[in-house]
Amino acid sequence: MAANLPSFRMGTETHADHVLTGEVAGSVAAVPGSGAFPEAELTFTLTDGRAITLVLGEEQAHDLTSSIYSLDKHVWSEQHEAEPAPATEAEVPDVSDVDAGPDTAHELMMVLEQRFGVTRDFMLAHVDWSAVVVVGEPAVSTLLERADELAEAVAPRWFPGATERPGEFWVVLYRDFAR
């Protein structure tokens, strides 16, 4: 602790007792101050049982934080670099059979063509690609007959639905953010 430093709260000098030194036990308690000015209170409990509370203004707290960061960066980081990292063996799960479904509208169109035989001739897309519409036969009938398989193939980013238009049905695949 430094002695004879001006206090930023009152503008007077404080005299710290040079005997207030010791090893800190446990962690430091930091709470907002209870005074009339914005401040922080740091309470250190020493190994001999004494507790010391420091009241810091905003600039002092910033300087303390900066100094501690500097210590961490220049002093303790060397120790951490010298210590070998503990070897950990993590089992990597087999994700080769996982199908995350199509992400983009172009990927969706590829899934529709490859898995369901629905070509681009039967597809319309919204200008912002928030939905892909399948129109015409036999494409609509195929998708309606295989609705559960379709929902599983396009999840989780796309949601299929059917809508009735005058004289026909459409299958509409909505992007997850468009609902």
Side-chain angles (χ1 to χ4, degrees):
M1 305 229 187
N4 300 325
L5 292 177
S7 167
F8 288 111
R9 276 179 47 198
M10 301 303 238
T12 60
E13 290 185 356
T14 59
H15 299 281
D17 186 357
H18 294 286
V19 181
L20 290 176
T21 59
E23 190 173 328
V24 176
S27 57
V28 177
V31 296
S34 57
F37 298 97
E39 59 192 17
E41 291 181 5
L42 301 176
T43 302
F44 300 85
T45 302
L46 303 180
T47 54
D48 64 5
R50 291 181 297 161
I52 300 171
T53 299
L54 301 177
V55 179
L56 303 173
E58 183 179 2
E59 287 184 28
Q60 292 170 319
H62 177 70
D63 290 343
L64 178 64
T65 303
S66 179
S67 297
I68 289 173
Y69 173 75
S70 182
L71 281 173
D72 183 46
K73 184 176 177 186
H74 297 292
V75 176
W76 293 310
S77 64
E78 293 175 10
Q79 179 184 358
H80 294 298
E81 289 173 3
E83 297 173 359
T88 57
E89 289 187 30
E91 184 176 325
V92 178
D94 180 18
V95 293
S96 59
D97 292 335
V98 174
D99 183 13
D103 187 33
T104 66
H106 294 288
E107 291 172 358
L108 173 67
M109 294 169 89
M110 288 176 42
V111 167
L112 291 174
E113 188 167 349
Q114 292 172 356
R115 289 189 61 178
F116 300 96
V118 176
T119 63
R120 294 175 190 237
D121 298 333
F122 296 99
M123 294 182 225
L124 306 171
H126 284 209
V127 174
D128 65 354
W129 293 98
S130 61
V132 173
V133 182
V134 178
V135 296
E137 291 299 330
V140 171
S141 297
T142 300
L143 294 179
L144 291 176
E145 290 170 4
R146 299 170 62 187
D148 291 338
E149 183 183 348
L150 174 64
E152 185 179 317
V154 299
R157 304 234 192 296
W158 297 88
F159 299 94
T163 186
E164 186 176 359
R165 304 299 296 172
E168 65 182 340
F169 284 95
W170 291 357
V171 173
V172 182
L173 297 126
Y174 298 96
R175 180 84 173 154
D176 62 349
F177 62 78
R179 295 188 100 197

